Amino acid sequence: MGRMVRHWSARIAGVIAATALVTGGTAGVTFAADHVPIPAPVYEPTVNITSNFAVVATTHPDTVGCNGYKVTGKGTSGGKPVTSATWTQDEVVCTATIPGKYDIKGTATMVEADGDQLTISYALTAPLTSATLVYPSGTFKITGGTGNYAFVIGSGKMNARVNLLDHDHVSNALLGDIKYTG
């Protein structure tokens, strides 16, 4: 009888040890499998518009406080959410307001074929340089619109490429977000 108790005790101890080993060994694996790191979401801008246009620059009347130009432009825009539109802009480029920089403030309207309009304001700067290529950068803000853009807000970054000797081939890129509030 003593031998049988020892035999069953040994068997029970073996089963308990095996159970603990299997449970303990798979607990870590289960935990690791359940907690795989999730990659961060990729930022997908809802505004990604490129515009190509020509500009006409005239001397700004304030030759002391601004010492710059009034600039109008017309061309085309495309991307998202505006797929194909005309681009018109009015801006003031000052050289006296920020030392050593072009200070550019303007508004632009993109009009799609169906008449829907998206209007922005922007503020850009670029170093004053003797180079013929200038790369202004800054921010834009959506200020209104009509049709599909009647109740939108948004903002983002704006970058431009200006050849001071070729006013017929100016370009810019808008990258940011738009939110439909209506």
Side-chain angles (χ1 to χ4, degrees), residues 7 29 46 59 65 80 94 104 146 163 181:
H7 182 67
V29 173
T46 54
T59 303
K80 68 178 184 180
C94 296
I104 306 163
T146 64
N163 184 333
T181 62

Side-chain angles (χ1 to χ4, degrees), residues 22-47:
V22 169
T23 304
T26 60
V29 173
T30 303
F31 178 79
D34 288 345
H35 293 85
V36 175
I38 298 171
V42 175
Y43 171 66
E44 184 66 32
T46 54
V47 173

Side-chain angles (χ1 to χ4, degrees), residues 104-182:
I104 306 163
K105 301 218 181 345
T107 60
T109 301
M110 291 160 270
V111 181
E112 295 179 325
D114 63 1
D116 293 351
Q117 297 182 19
L118 182 64
T119 305
I120 66 166
S121 64
Y122 55 90
L124 311 173
T125 61
L128 282 172
T129 177
S130 60
T132 58
L133 285 176
V134 179
Y135 298 94
S137 63
T139 60
F140 75 90
K141 180 178 180 180
I142 295 173
T143 58
T146 64
N148 285 333
Y149 307 111
F151 300 101
V152 297
I153 58 172
S155 61
K157 298 200 179 289
M158 181 174 179
N159 296 301
R161 181 183 182 277
V162 180
N163 184 333
L164 298 175
L165 301 178
D166 181 6
H167 293 179
D168 291 334
H169 299 97
V170 179
S171 63
N172 69 37
L174 307 174
L175 191 64
D177 290 300
I178 188 169
K179 182 178 179 183
Y180 296 86
T181 62

Side-chain angles (χ1 to χ4, degrees), residues 33-73:
D34 288 345
H35 293 85
V36 175
I38 298 171
V42 175
Y43 171 66
E44 184 66 32
T46 54
V47 173
N48 190 353
I49 300 171
T50 302
S51 302
N52 296 294
F53 50 96
V55 296
V56 175
T58 57
T59 303
H60 192 279
D62 182 357
T63 56
V64 177
C66 175
N67 192 31
Y69 306 94
K70 290 182 77 167
V71 181
T72 58

Side-chain angles (χ1 to χ4, degrees), residues 79-103:
K80 68 178 184 180
V82 175
T83 55
S84 179
T86 60
W87 166 275
T88 56
Q89 73 172 46
D90 288 304
E91 69 184 24
V92 173
V93 180
C94 296
T95 60
T97 53
I98 302 176
K101 292 188 180 264
Y102 289 104
D103 180 19

